[in-house]
């Protein structure tokens, strides 16, 4: 077990939003809405931000836009919570450029998927991560998301990088909880972030101490309540809350997870814009389904707040 008083990564062991990227209808970044969203989510208990990942449409943003998003979140969060910048890119030099920028503007850490599209050897993937470790002094989070990259990060591949103290841990967006548990067992000093909202409770049992979630954008209270109940041994209530999280996730996935997240996150604030093409906008029927979901969601949130 990690001694919390001596844990240099303690600030990262939290409920973090994989924050969406608000846009105007012409697909320009809406920094005003982004700043409002950051402040709103912090007020609701969000304990950190992970920007320009899948939920933030990072692969669809230009490098300058990714820098703009990060700078806006850092300024708006005012040092209250850690801000992690996803810098993954198919080209190593682009990832290096984003890493150097993240360090220059005060990001808390960087994270990156393995290089994708081409099928790279394990040696090439490790060298890609090593370049980032060499080019920046920021903590580095390995991002395991095999359904998008075709690469399953396991203990064997990660052990070389884990030997570097600068490697903070892993964002594990995979249903392979056995691989996760094996990494946690061998490296309890690292931070393991759950990446699939629908298995948050299961990931806690496997040893995660943090989560980076798409639907944390809209239901952070439920994640905070699951963690609270798990920590005090109230597994019955924790499971009930996980069922509610999954009810929300299921409807959102059926209507487009990224479109749904941006739509629902904007209901309490302002219109957060479309998702960038080639994603397809929500139609009238999908918005109606999400409006109906939002009524249940507000009930879930109200009950969860009483537990935190």
């Amino acid at each position: 077990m990690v001694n919390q008083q001596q844990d240099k990564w303690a600030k990262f062991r939290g409920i973090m939003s994989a924050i969406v990227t608000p846009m105007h209808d012409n697909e320009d970044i809406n920094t005003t809405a982004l700043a409002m969203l950051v402040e709103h989510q912090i007020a609701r208990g969000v304990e950190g931000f992970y920007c320009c990942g899948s939920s933030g449409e990072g692969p669809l943003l230009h490098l300058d836009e990714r820098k703009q998003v990060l700078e806006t979140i850092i300024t708006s969060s005012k040092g209250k919570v850690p801000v992690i910048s996803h810098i993954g890119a198919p080209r190593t030099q682009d990832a290096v450029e984003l890493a150097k920028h993240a360090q220059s503007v005060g990001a808390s850490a960087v994270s990156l998927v393995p290089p994708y599209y081409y099928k790279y050897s394990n040696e090439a993937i490790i060298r890609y991560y090593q370049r980032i470790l060499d080019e920046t002094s920021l903590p580095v989070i390995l991002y395991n998301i095999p359904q998008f990259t075709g690469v399953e990060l396991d203990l064997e591949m990660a052990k070389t990088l884990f030997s570097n103290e600068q490697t903070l841990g892993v964002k594990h967006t995979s249903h392979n909880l056995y691989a996760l548990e094996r990494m946690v067992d061998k490296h309890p000093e690292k931070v393991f972030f759950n990446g699939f909202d629908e298995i948050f409770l299961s990931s806690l049992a496997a040893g995660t101490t943090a989560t980076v979630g798409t639907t944390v954008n809209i239901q952070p209270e439920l994640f905070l309540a699951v963690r609270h109940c798990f920590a005090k041994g109230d597994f019955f209530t924790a499971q009930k809350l996980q069922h509610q999280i999954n009810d929300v996730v299921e409807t959102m996935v059926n209507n487009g997870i990224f479109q749904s997240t941006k739509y629902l996150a904007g209901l309490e604030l302002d219109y957060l814009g479309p998702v960038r093409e080639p994603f397809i906008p929500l139609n009238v029927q999908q918005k109606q389904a999400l409006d109906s979901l939002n009524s249940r969601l507000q009930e879930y949130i109200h009950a969860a707040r009483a537990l935190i």
Side-chain angles (χ1 to χ4, degrees):
M1 296 294 292
V2 177
N3 185 326
Q4 291 296 316
Q5 293 182 334
Q6 299 175 355
D7 181 11
K8 64 179 181 178
W9 304 132
K11 69 179 180 180
F12 294 102
R13 300 184 190 274
I15 305 299
M16 301 197 178
S17 171
I19 191 166
V20 298
T21 302
M23 296 180 190
H24 298 288
D25 284 336
N26 66 357
E27 294 193 353
D28 286 348
I29 306 300
N30 186 342
T31 55
T32 300
L34 178 57
M36 289 174 54
L37 187 62
V38 167
E39 294 173 4
H40 180 65
Q41 291 191 8
I42 290 175
R44 292 180 63 183
V46 166
E47 297 170 337
F49 294 103
Y50 188 102
C51 69
C52 298
S54 305
S55 306
E57 301 170 70
L60 300 178
L61 304 180
H62 299 301
L63 295 190
D64 286 346
E65 290 178 318
R66 294 171 73 168
K67 294 174 183 178
Q68 181 184 29
V69 168
L70 175 62
E71 291 173 16
T72 301
I73 294 172
I74 289 174
T75 299
S76 305
S77 59
K78 301 175 183 177
K80 295 177 181 177
V81 297
V83 178
I84 301 166
S85 177
H86 174 254
I87 61 169
R91 199 171 78 102
T92 301
Q93 279 302 116
D94 289 344
V96 169
E97 180 180 337
L98 290 172
K100 290 181 175 180
H101 171 262
Q103 181 165 323
S104 72
V105 298
S108 306
V110 294
S111 176
L112 60 167
V113 294
Y116 49 90
Y117 185 78
Y118 295 107
K119 187 173 177 60
Y120 295 101
S121 67
N122 287 359
E123 179 185 4
I125 293 168
I126 291 170
R127 288 182 64 182
Y128 166 82
Y129 280 114
Q130 193 60 56
R131 278 292 306 280
I132 303 303
L133 289 163
D134 292 341
E135 296 282 356
T136 178
S137 60
L138 286 175
V140 174
I141 302 165
L142 315 180
Y143 187 176
N144 184 39
I145 185 165
Q147 71 272 26
F148 285 172
T149 64
V151 177
E152 178 77 52
L153 182 72
D154 57 15
L155 181 60
E156 187 63 27
M157 186 184 297
K159 66 180 181 181
T160 300
L161 298 168
F162 281 170
S163 66
N164 190 319
E165 291 188 2
Q166 194 180 334
T167 301
L168 193 162
V170 175
K171 181 179 184 287
H172 187 76
T173 308
S174 167
H175 289 116
N176 188 343
L177 293 177
Y178 172 72
L180 170 64
E181 184 276 333
R182 289 291 80 200
M183 288 190 285
V184 171
D185 180 65
K186 296 297 189 296
H187 295 277
E189 77 283 0
K190 303 296 185 183
V191 181
F192 292 90
F193 302 79
N194 172 62
F196 270 140
D197 295 354
E198 61 269 27
I199 58 170
F200 176 49
L201 178 58
S202 300
S203 80
L204 291 175
T208 62
T209 54
T211 199
V212 172
T214 301
T215 70
V216 173
N217 279 278
I218 62 166
Q219 52 182 355
E221 296 88 352
L222 272 74
F223 289 87
L224 292 163
V226 168
R227 184 183 63 185
H228 175 75
C229 292
F230 179 83
K232 71 176 189 177
D234 184 359
F235 304 123
F236 177 83
T237 304
Q239 188 179 54
K240 177 182 177 182
L241 289 159
Q242 184 67 62
H243 290 325
Q244 293 173 345
I245 289 173
N246 290 358
D247 176 39
V248 174
V249 169
E250 183 177 30
T251 302
M252 292 173 68
V253 168
N254 288 341
N255 291 282
I257 184 65
F258 303 125
Q259 298 97 316
S260 298
T261 303
K262 192 176 283 190
Y263 177 77
L264 288 168
L267 289 181
E268 288 190 60
L269 292 173
D270 197 1
Y271 174 61
L272 299 184
V275 284
R276 185 162 283 186
E277 290 186 317
F279 281 118
I280 299 173
L282 296 168
N283 60 37
V284 173
Q285 291 76 20
Q286 289 171 321
K287 289 180 179 179
Q288 289 174 343
L290 293 171
D291 289 338
S292 178
L293 169 66
N294 190 52
S295 297
R296 298 199 306 279
L297 175 59
Q298 296 311 311
E299 294 177 3
Y300 296 159
I301 289 170
H302 178 75
R305 283 177 176 154
L307 298 172
I308 302 170

